[in-house]
Amino acid sequence: MLFQATPQHEEFRAKVREFAEAEIKPIAATLDQENLFPDEIVQKMGQMGLMGLPFPTEYGGSGLDILHYSIGVEELSRVDGGIGVILSAHVSLGCWPIYAFGTEKQKKKYLTPLAKGEKLGAFGLTESEAGSDAGGTETTAELSGDHYVLSGSKIFITNAPKADIYVVFAVTTPDIGTRGISAFIVEKGWEGFTFGDKYDKMGIRSSTTAELNFNNVKVPKENLLGKEGQGFKIAMATLDGGRIGIASQSLGIAQGAYESALDYAKEREQFGMAIAHQQAISFKIADMATKLRACRFLVYSAAELKENHESYAMESAMAKQYTSDRCLEIVNDALQIYGGSGFIKGIDVERFYRDAKICTIYEGTNEIQRVVIAAHLIGKAPK
Ligand code: CAA
C-alpha cells in the first residue's frame, strides 16, 4: 500500500514548517549548546494542537490521522531533532497507551490534559538491567489494599523530569517472565517519586532525559493500565507505534541536513565554480535525495497502515531501522560537503550529526528492529 498525502497534509506541513522556521530555528543552536528545554515552544505546540495530534477531539486531541503526526514530528526535527522527540515521546509513548488501553475515567483524567498540551507525558520502561531485554524489568509493584507499592528505578527516560504523567512498567507477579509485568499511570509529585540529574547528552540536547526513582510510591489501584500481567504487551504495542515517531524524527533530521548541505554546495565555490556542480558533491546530493525519498515512502506507509488498523509492527520496525541508518549516512555526507566549516559548533549540520545517532539506538536499537522484522518473516527462534 502507498501512502496518500492529501492537500490537507501538505497544508499542515507548511503550517508546522512555518512555526519551526520562525520560532525554533533562531534558538536551536542555543538550546543545544546550553542544554535547555524549550518550555515556551512546547506550550505553543500545545496551543497549535500538536501535542494531541492523532487523538479524538473528545479527549482534547486534534482528531487528525497518523500521517499528520508523522509529518509534524518530521517538520519539527527538520529544524531541531530534540524538539521532534519531545513530541514523539509525549504522543506515542506517554499518551497513546492511555488512549489504547485506558478506561474511560483514565482517558478523561489523564489523556485529555496531555492531548491539550496542558501536561507532558513520558514512558518508563528501560532499566539498567533491562534495556534491549525489556522483559528483564526489575521494578516491582506490590498490591497492598487499595494501592500498589512501586519500587525501583528507570533510566534514560525521555521528557523526564519535565513530564507530569508517566506510564511505568513493573513486575506484579514475579518469576513468570513478561506475563508478570503490569503498566501503571504515575503522576509526578507523588511521595517517593524522585528524579536523577538530567543526562548531559551528545545530541538532542533540547530534549530532557533523566532517571526515575520510585521509593515505595503508592499508586492507586485505579491507575493500573489495562489488566494485571498485560504490561509487556502494552509496552510492545506502544513501541510499535513509537517507532513511526522515531522514523519520522530521523527523516526530519536527514531532510534538514540535506537542505542545509545543498544550499551550502550551491554557494561555496572552489576551482572556479560552485562545489554543487562538481561530480564528487553532486553525486552525494543525488544519493541523499534518493535515500530521503525511499525513507519517506517507508515511514508514511507505516503511518498509513497504523491509521487503517492494519498490522504495522514489522513495517514500523523497518521504517525506524532503515530511516535512522540512512539518516546517519545523510548527516555524514552533509557534514562532508561542508568540509571544515561543518566541524565548527553553531553550524546546523554539526548539531544534526550529533542528533542523528540516538535514532539508531532508542525505541529499540536497530539490531532489535532486525530481531522484530526477522521474527515476522521467519518466526521466533526456539528458546
Ligand atoms: N505487540 C503485542 N504483544 C507483543 C508484541 C507486540 N509488538 N511483541 C511481543 N508481544 C508479546 C508476545 O506475543 C508474547 O506474548 P505471550 O506471553 O502471550 O506469548 C510476549 O509479548 C513476549 O514476547 P517475546 O517472547 O517476543 O518477548 P522477548 O522477551 O523475546 O522480547 C523484544 C522481544 C522484541 C526483544 C523486546 O524485548 C523489545 O522490543 N526490546 C526492545 C525494547 C525497546 O524498544 N526499548 C525502548 C525503550 S523506550 C525508548 O527508548 C523511548 C525513548 O527514549 C524516546
Side-chain angles (χ1 to χ4, degrees):
M1 172 180 297
L2 285 181
F3 69 90
Q4 298 276 322
T6 62
Q8 285 82 7
H9 289 106
E10 291 314 321
E11 234 170 74
F12 172 76
R13 179 193 298 284
K15 184 176 126 189
V16 182
R17 183 170 290 198
E18 193 186 329
F19 167 71
E21 290 279 338
E23 310 253 352
I24 301 175
K25 201 171 194 167
I27 57 169
T30 307
L31 296 175
D32 170 59
Q33 282 161 15
E34 297 180 16
N35 209 4
L36 288 177
F37 185 86
D39 291 290
E40 272 180 39
I41 295 287
V42 173
Q43 211 180 346
K44 285 185 186 166
M45 283 158 55
Q47 288 156 3
M48 287 172 72
L50 299 183
M51 304 303 274
L53 268 173
F55 304 111
T57 48
E58 64 177 301
Y59 301 120
S62 296
L64 296 173
D65 65 11
I66 307 291
L67 186 50
H68 277 93
Y69 164 61
S70 172
I71 290 171
V73 174
E74 177 190 344
E75 286 301 324
L76 296 172
S77 304
R78 175 182 162 274
V79 170
D80 186 325
I83 295 179
V85 80
I86 293 171
L87 181 65
S88 180
H90 168 84
V91 167
S92 287
L93 305 184
C95 300
W96 189 82
I98 301 176
Y99 171 61
F101 299 98
T103 60
E104 199 51 37
K105 201 171 159 198
Q106 288 171 337
K107 287 188 226 186
K108 288 250 152 66
K109 180 168 179 189
Y110 292 111
L111 178 59
T112 302
L114 285 167
K116 284 184 176 169
E118 294 164 0
K119 299 228 159 134
L120 187 66
F123 179 80
L125 176 68
T126 303
E127 300 184 3
S128 58
E129 301 308 314
S132 288
D133 182 9
T137 299
E138 290 175 349
T139 294
T140 55
E142 230 176 280
L143 188 59
S144 166
D146 62 352
H147 61 268
Y148 288 86
V149 179
L150 187 65
S151 300
S153 291
K154 301 284 174 181
I155 61 168
F156 304 150
I157 305 306
T158 302
N159 285 348
K162 286 281 177 183
D164 307 282
I165 312 293
Y166 296 78
V167 174
V168 175
F169 299 86
V171 175
T172 41
T173 309
D175 306 323
I176 59 165
T178 56
R179 291 182 178 190
I181 296 174
S182 302
F184 298 91
I185 305 171
V186 180
E187 294 182 30
K188 178 158 85 174
W190 282 353
E191 204 179 336
F193 178 12
T194 56
F195 300 95
D197 290 339
K198 75 174 190 179
Y199 296 96
D200 189 7
K201 305 188 297 277
M202 166 182 167
I204 57 161
R205 289 167 60 82
S206 56
S207 70
T208 174
T209 315
E211 199 174 300
L212 315 181
N213 296 308
F214 304 106
N215 182 9
N216 294 324
V217 178
K218 278 186 176 181
V219 179
K221 231 170 144 181
E222 63 194 31
N223 278 41
L224 174 71
L225 184 61
K227 297 195 185 92
E228 249 200 36
Q230 202 191 353
F232 191 75
K233 288 180 184 168
I234 292 177
M236 292 298 106
T238 301
L239 289 168
D240 289 341
R243 288 164 186 160
I244 297 174
I246 301 307
S248 310
Q249 183 200 16
S250 309
L251 184 59
I253 295 171
Q255 180 72 31
Y258 161 77
E259 287 179 29
S260 179
L262 180 61
D263 288 347
Y264 180 80
K266 285 180 182 165
E267 272 172 27
R268 169 79 175 158
E269 292 194 0
Q270 288 289 275
F271 304 105
M273 63 169 135
I275 61 171
H277 292 302
Q278 292 165 12
Q279 200 177 61
I281 303 302
S282 66
F283 277 18
K284 274 196 205 308
I285 289 168
D287 284 347
M288 291 158 90
T290 307
K291 286 173 189 173
L292 277 166
R293 189 164 162 76
C295 290
R296 193 159 278 116
F297 276 101
L298 269 184
V299 179
Y300 293 174
S301 60
E304 190 167 86
L305 288 173
K306 180 165 163 50
E307 179 62 29
N308 293 339
H309 305 286
E310 293 178 60
S311 102
Y312 66 94
M314 180 178 77
E315 290 79 0
S316 69
M318 285 175 166
K320 191 275 194 191
Q321 173 261 309
Y322 190 82
T323 306
S324 58
D325 277 346
R326 299 295 79 70
C327 176
L328 272 194
E329 294 166 4
I330 290 169
V331 294
N332 188 46
D333 279 348
L335 203 149
Q336 192 69 19
I337 289 171
Y338 263 87
S341 305
F343 200 63
I344 307 299
K345 290 256 181 220
I347 298 284
D348 58 5
V349 290
E350 184 271 341
R351 178 167 49 85
F352 288 134
Y353 186 88
R354 286 182 287 105
D355 284 355
K357 182 59 203 168
I358 191 62
C359 299
T360 68
I361 298 172
Y362 61 14
E363 293 207 30
T365 62
N366 281 4
E367 290 73 19
I368 289 293
Q369 305 309 313
R370 290 175 172 92
V371 167
V372 171
I373 296 163
H376 277 86
L377 298 172
I378 307 161
K380 268 192 69 139
K383 286 199 175 163

